[in-house]
Amino acid sequence: SFDLTQPPSVSVSPGQTARITCSGDSLPKEYVYWFQQKPGQAPLLVIYKDTERPAGVPERFSASTSGTIVTLTITGAQAEDEADYYCQSGGSGGLHVFGPGTKVTVL
Amino acid sequence: VQLVESGGGVVQPGRSLRLSCAASGFTFSHHGMHWVRQAPGKGLEWVAMIWYDGSSQYYADSVRGRFSISRDNAKDTLYLELNSLRAEDTAVYHCAGGVNGTSAFDLWGQGTMVTVSS
């Protein structure tokens, strides 16, 4: 198995930029995916294959990669972006892993 | 297009439980499927995965040897058999699948709660 690391929390003012990192030794070899989860709801995919944004996800969500670190960026954060964010990787060999999650607070 | 889980409940340690996940709105037999759990107040934990045809299964270390994932493509249903349950298995169990070609987890059910307690 392999581990992913995320900061427990990130705070951002409305309209400002939030950056959430995810690190892991396997990341240069595996795609990374990002999920948003609001209280009482199922997770929602916001980024796939490192940097791609699914249809319907606002353009303020983007991602980048640099070696063993990937970064989810919310540009112009809005109140509705307050949620937990999880990175996820794996798949080769059938095994998957989620990061521990980052709570994003917009205040 | 949806996934609906059922079968959760309160169960004593050491006992067993079977969860079901009914799929609709897509060709279930074409897609690999997963179970992901979330303990109260905790993060997401991948539990198990099964190939589209059921020919291969993979498990997290924490459940390997105790849980069993299976599927019935004729019934469009995914299952998770939970055996030798422990308090630390208490969680909401979500089924999820890669339906749209973007991610292995681009479709999620709302989950079913399993509580292991004496």
Side-chain angles (χ1 to χ4, degrees):
Chain A
S1 63
F2 50 95
D3 294 327
L4 301 175
T5 301
Q6 297 180 239
S9 62
V10 167
S11 294
V12 60
S13 300
Q16 298 304 302
T17 297
R19 294 181 178 86
I20 307 160
T21 58
C22 174
S23 63
D25 291 340
S26 66
L27 295 189
K29 301 184 289 290
E30 299 275 6
Y31 282 126
V32 173
Y33 303 79
W34 289 93
F35 296 85
Q36 175 194 70
Q37 188 181 33
K38 297 180 179 179
Q41 297 184 17
L44 174 71
L45 180 70
V46 294
I47 293 288
Y48 69 99
K49 291 184 178 178
D50 291 344
T51 59
E52 301 298 313
R53 191 173 51 248
V57 172
E59 292 183 4
R60 62 181 179 273
F61 289 90
S62 64
S64 60
T65 68
S66 179
T68 60
I69 299 175
V70 297
T71 302
L72 175 68
T73 300
I74 309 173
T75 304
Q78 300 185 9
E80 63 258 35
D81 300 331
E82 190 162 288
D84 294 324
Y85 291 83
Y86 297 90
C87 59
Q88 177 262 319
S89 191
S92 59
L95 303 179
H96 298 263
V97 67
F98 287 89
T102 298
K103 182 177 182 61
V104 171
T105 302
V106 181
L107 47 69
Chain B
V1 180
Q2 66 175 357
L3 299 170
V4 179
E5 303 91 338
S6 61
V10 179
V11 60
Q12 293 179 329
R15 303 297 292 266
S16 298
L17 203 62
R18 188 175 84 156
L19 308 181
S20 300
C21 169
S24 61
F26 66 100
T27 307
F28 178 73
S29 61
H30 288 185
H31 302 283
M33 296 295 297
H34 303 257
W35 287 97
V36 178
R37 69 183 180 182
Q38 188 167 31
K42 303 298 185 182
L44 301 172
E45 180 187 13
W46 175 79
V47 172
M49 180 250 181
I50 187 167
W51 280 16
Y52 69 100
D53 60 356
S55 61
S56 290
Q57 305 85 33
Y58 304 90
Y59 298 93
D61 290 344
S62 58
V63 306
R64 188 176 294 115
R66 299 188 300 122
F67 290 9
S68 178
I69 188 171
S70 62
R71 64 192 297 160
D72 185 337
N73 285 344
K75 296 183 178 179
D76 290 344
T77 303
L78 176 73
Y79 302 101
L80 186 68
E81 185 82 27
L82 294 69
N83 299 310
S84 302
L85 281 161
R86 307 167 179 167
E88 55 264 36
D89 296 319
T90 294
V92 173
Y93 285 75
H94 296 273
C95 62
V99 175
N100 297 320
T102 55
S103 159
F105 306 93
D106 56 32
L107 179 65
W108 293 73
Q110 285 301 311
T112 186
M113 182 71 201
V114 173
T115 303
V116 184
S117 173
S118 54

